[in-house]
PDB file of all heavy atoms in Angstrom:
ATOM      1  N   HIS A 141     -14.433  -7.501  14.084  1.00 98.00           N
ATOM      2  CA  HIS A 141     -15.672  -6.787  13.793  1.00 98.00           C
ATOM      3  C   HIS A 141     -16.334  -7.299  12.513  1.00 98.00           C
ATOM      4  O   HIS A 141     -17.020  -6.539  11.809  1.00 98.00           O
ATOM      5  CB  HIS A 141     -15.397  -5.288  13.697  1.00 98.00           C
ATOM      6  CG  HIS A 141     -14.942  -4.702  14.993  1.00 98.00           C
ATOM      7  ND1 HIS A 141     -15.807  -4.148  15.929  1.00 98.00           N
ATOM      8  CD2 HIS A 141     -13.698  -4.630  15.549  1.00 98.00           C
ATOM      9  CE1 HIS A 141     -15.124  -3.741  16.973  1.00 98.00           C
ATOM     10  NE2 HIS A 141     -13.842  -4.023  16.780  1.00 98.00           N
ATOM     11  N   GLY A 142     -16.152  -8.570  12.205  1.00 98.00           N
ATOM     12  CA  GLY A 142     -16.816  -9.158  11.050  1.00 98.00           C
ATOM     13  C   GLY A 142     -16.287  -8.685   9.718  1.00 98.00           C
ATOM     14  O   GLY A 142     -17.004  -8.707   8.709  1.00 98.00           O
ATOM     15  N   VAL A 143     -15.021  -8.248   9.682  1.00 98.00           N
ATOM     16  CA  VAL A 143     -14.407  -7.741   8.458  1.00 98.00           C
ATOM     17  C   VAL A 143     -13.250  -8.650   8.075  1.00 98.00           C
ATOM     18  O   VAL A 143     -12.470  -9.080   8.930  1.00 98.00           O
ATOM     19  CB  VAL A 143     -13.908  -6.292   8.653  1.00 98.00           C
ATOM     20  CG1 VAL A 143     -13.219  -5.779   7.394  1.00 98.00           C
ATOM     21  CG2 VAL A 143     -15.066  -5.381   9.038  1.00 98.00           C
ATOM     22  N   ARG A 144     -13.119  -8.911   6.784  1.00 98.00           N
ATOM     23  CA  ARG A 144     -12.044  -9.768   6.273  1.00 98.00           C
ATOM     24  C   ARG A 144     -11.806  -9.420   4.806  1.00 98.00           C
ATOM     25  O   ARG A 144     -12.502  -8.575   4.238  1.00 98.00           O
ATOM     26  CB  ARG A 144     -12.431 -11.231   6.418  1.00 98.00           C
ATOM     27  CG  ARG A 144     -13.791 -11.567   5.802  1.00 98.00           C
ATOM     28  CD  ARG A 144     -14.227 -12.970   6.125  1.00 98.00           C
ATOM     29  NE  ARG A 144     -15.625 -13.194   5.762  1.00 98.00           N
ATOM     30  CZ  ARG A 144     -16.209 -14.378   5.833  1.00 98.00           C
ATOM     31  NH1 ARG A 144     -15.537 -15.438   6.241  1.00 98.00           N
ATOM     32  NH2 ARG A 144     -17.476 -14.517   5.498  1.00 98.00           N
ATOM     33  N   GLY A 145     -10.833 -10.055   4.210  1.00 98.00           N
ATOM     34  CA  GLY A 145     -10.611  -9.857   2.791  1.00 98.00           C
ATOM     35  C   GLY A 145     -11.848 -10.260   2.006  1.00 98.00           C
ATOM     36  O   GLY A 145     -12.384 -11.344   2.209  1.00 98.00           O
ATOM     37  N   GLY A 146     -12.307  -9.375   1.124  1.00 98.00           N
ATOM     38  CA  GLY A 146     -13.512  -9.640   0.360  1.00 98.00           C
ATOM     39  C   GLY A 146     -14.776  -9.079   0.964  1.00 98.00           C
ATOM     40  O   GLY A 146     -15.845  -9.161   0.348  1.00 98.00           O
ATOM     41  N   SER A 147     -14.694  -8.500   2.184  1.00 98.00           N
ATOM     42  CA  SER A 147     -15.876  -7.860   2.750  1.00 98.00           C
ATOM     43  C   SER A 147     -16.355  -6.738   1.834  1.00 98.00           C
ATOM     44  O   SER A 147     -15.553  -6.051   1.194  1.00 98.00           O
ATOM     45  CB  SER A 147     -15.563  -7.296   4.137  1.00 98.00           C
ATOM     46  OG  SER A 147     -15.434  -8.321   5.086  1.00 98.00           O
ATOM     47  N   VAL A 148     -17.654  -6.535   1.799  1.00 98.00           N
ATOM     48  CA  VAL A 148     -18.255  -5.556   0.897  1.00 98.00           C
ATOM     49  C   VAL A 148     -18.241  -4.168   1.529  1.00 98.00           C
ATOM     50  O   VAL A 148     -18.524  -4.010   2.721  1.00 98.00           O
ATOM     51  CB  VAL A 148     -19.698  -5.957   0.555  1.00 98.00           C
ATOM     52  CG1 VAL A 148     -20.331  -4.939  -0.386  1.00 98.00           C
ATOM     53  CG2 VAL A 148     -19.718  -7.339  -0.085  1.00 98.00           C
ATOM     54  N   VAL A 149     -17.917  -3.171   0.711  1.00 98.00           N
ATOM     55  CA  VAL A 149     -17.763  -1.796   1.175  1.00 98.00           C
ATOM     56  C   VAL A 149     -18.558  -0.852   0.268  1.00 98.00           C
ATOM     57  O   VAL A 149     -18.580  -1.029  -0.953  1.00 98.00           O
ATOM     58  CB  VAL A 149     -16.280  -1.365   1.134  1.00 98.00           C
ATOM     59  CG1 VAL A 149     -16.092  -0.003   1.787  1.00 98.00           C
ATOM     60  CG2 VAL A 149     -15.385  -2.408   1.772  1.00 98.00           C
ATOM     61  N   ALA A 150     -19.195   0.138   0.869  1.00 98.00           N
ATOM     62  CA  ALA A 150     -19.735   1.275   0.119  1.00 98.00           C
ATOM     63  C   ALA A 150     -18.799   2.450   0.364  1.00 98.00           C
ATOM     64  O   ALA A 150     -18.585   2.846   1.511  1.00 98.00           O
ATOM     65  CB  ALA A 150     -21.150   1.615   0.574  1.00 98.00           C
ATOM     66  N   VAL A 151     -18.215   2.974  -0.703  1.00 98.00           N
ATOM     67  CA  VAL A 151     -17.328   4.126  -0.607  1.00 98.00           C
ATOM     68  C   VAL A 151     -18.084   5.320  -1.192  1.00 98.00           C
ATOM     69  O   VAL A 151     -18.584   5.250  -2.317  1.00 98.00           O
ATOM     70  CB  VAL A 151     -16.009   3.905  -1.356  1.00 98.00           C
ATOM     71  CG1 VAL A 151     -15.016   5.030  -1.053  1.00 98.00           C
ATOM     72  CG2 VAL A 151     -15.396   2.558  -1.012  1.00 98.00           C
ATOM     73  N   ILE A 152     -18.163   6.403  -0.443  1.00 98.00           N
ATOM     74  CA  ILE A 152     -18.996   7.541  -0.829  1.00 98.00           C
ATOM     75  C   ILE A 152     -18.144   8.791  -0.936  1.00 98.00           C
ATOM     76  O   ILE A 152     -17.364   9.115  -0.034  1.00 98.00           O
ATOM     77  CB  ILE A 152     -20.113   7.773   0.217  1.00 98.00           C
ATOM     78  CG1 ILE A 152     -20.934   6.491   0.408  1.00 98.00           C
ATOM     79  CG2 ILE A 152     -21.013   8.926  -0.194  1.00 98.00           C
ATOM     80  CD1 ILE A 152     -21.709   6.462   1.697  1.00 98.00           C
ATOM     81  N   HIS A 153     -18.297   9.489  -2.063  1.00 98.00           N
ATOM     82  CA  HIS A 153     -17.650  10.792  -2.236  1.00 98.00           C
ATOM     83  C   HIS A 153     -18.629  11.692  -2.966  1.00 98.00           C
ATOM     84  O   HIS A 153     -19.106  11.370  -4.055  1.00 98.00           O
ATOM     85  CB  HIS A 153     -16.359  10.659  -3.047  1.00 98.00           C
ATOM     86  CG  HIS A 153     -15.659  11.961  -3.263  1.00 98.00           C
ATOM     87  ND1 HIS A 153     -15.512  12.532  -4.511  1.00 98.00           N
ATOM     88  CD2 HIS A 153     -15.070  12.823  -2.386  1.00 98.00           C
ATOM     89  CE1 HIS A 153     -14.855  13.675  -4.391  1.00 98.00           C
ATOM     90  NE2 HIS A 153     -14.578  13.869  -3.115  1.00 98.00           N
TER      91      HIS A 153
END
Side-chain angles (χ1 to χ4, degrees):
H141 295 268
V143 178
R144 53 188 169 174
S147 287
V148 180
V149 187
V151 189
I152 305 160
H153 180 246

